[in-house]
Amino acid sequence: MVTISSATRHVPDTLKRTVRSTWGMFGQATRRTRVLPTFLIVGAQRCGTTSLFKALAQHPHVVGPVLRKGVHYFDTAYERGGDWYRGHFPTRGATRARGDRPRVEVGESSPYYLFHPLAAERIARDLPGVKVIVLLRDPVERAYSAHSHERARGFESETFERAVALEEERLAGEEARLRADPTAYSHSHQHHAYLARGRYAQQLLRLEEQLGRDRMHVMESEDFFATPEPLFAEVERFLGIPHAHGVRFDRHNARPRAEMPESLRRRLTDYFAKADEQLAVWWGRTPSWRA
């Protein structure tokens, strides 16, 4: 199934905005005929979520939102309501089983879901039975990549070392504020949590408490990029879809950046030692970056 997001990939941004605006109005007008996701890629940010979603979008039994890969409903747009969310997805007729074709699985990828303190609870409440996929990466590399990403998007003006030093101050009280006011938004919580997002075990435990371990599939992005075929086959089995041949595994959203100073890398590697131990206990395996 071709989505508008893939069909408009090579057209000017102004035309894309016009197409998306027009389609958005149509999607909302027909939202009662549309389906909700059966799976979500919830994070972590800068861990290959876009690359996995693009691979899954090639599968004949998978379809995503019509406009974009991620809707960000359960983190920054929850006040818009469930009908608004439903309006982003395909119709029931396009996804139901017919003939020899099984039901098409519907998913989206919003990597802030894993880190947002209320997203797991919202997902569990609004999407009973949904499955979630989590990609993890060396948290030092993830933090450095996230900083480059936020700088390129205009959300960060500090150097990486300075941004890391400022993080505790920037994030002070922000999670509590988000929990206290479900309509609140925190720019720093979303865009400046370079270290906090790499403390994976806390986030996975929160997700497990809401959804249960059997509805979670966790994988390493290092493994996925090194040997994508077997890792993709595991995702197919988790989603209950047949194996697809000919899927292309491209790397999306990679940004060139200078090498991290070795002294800073060692300091951050030491910083994440306890968090990585907690992850190993939760996961039952030592992550590759600590092996």
Side-chain angles (χ1 to χ4, degrees), residues 254-265:
R255 296 186 184 275
R257 59 184 185 273
E259 287 292 319
M260 188 189 311
E262 192 58 35
S263 59
L264 179 57
R265 181 184 298 278

Side-chain angles (χ1 to χ4, degrees), residues 68-191:
R68 56 183 64 84
K69 79 178 182 74
V71 182
H72 284 283
Y73 173 60
F74 294 106
D75 46 34
T76 61
Y78 196 66
E79 73 281 357
R80 292 177 178 265
D83 282 345
W84 176 86
Y85 185 51
R86 188 185 292 271
H88 289 78
F89 295 97
T91 62
R92 285 189 289 272
T95 59
R96 68 166 59 102
R98 60 175 181 267
D100 294 332
R101 189 196 76 176
R103 183 186 73 175
V104 173
E105 300 300 319
V106 180
E108 64 136 327
S109 176
S110 296
Y112 188 31
Y113 287 168
L114 181 64
F115 187 59
H116 193 282
L118 297 179
E121 177 184 345
R122 292 166 173 174
I123 291 167
R125 180 170 59 242
D126 294 356
L127 299 178
V130 74
K131 296 179 179 180
V132 297
I133 300 169
V134 182
L135 289 99
L136 305 178
R137 178 186 185 182
D138 178 345
V140 177
E141 288 298 322
R142 195 221 68 81
Y144 198 39
S145 176
H147 177 265
S148 297
H149 184 63
E150 301 299 352
R151 292 249 321 181
R153 298 168 73 197
F155 295 140
E156 178 61 85
S157 58
E158 303 287 352
T159 66
F160 178 58
E161 191 162 8
R162 177 62 177 158
V164 167
L166 286 172
E167 180 171 330
E168 184 175 354
E169 177 184 343
R170 283 171 157 180
L171 268 59
E174 291 301 275
E175 180 170 328
R177 186 169 67 85
L178 290 171
R179 288 185 179 277
D181 179 4
T183 66
Y185 170 73
S186 171
H187 177 84
S188 282
H189 191 271
Q190 183 173 10
H191 298 291

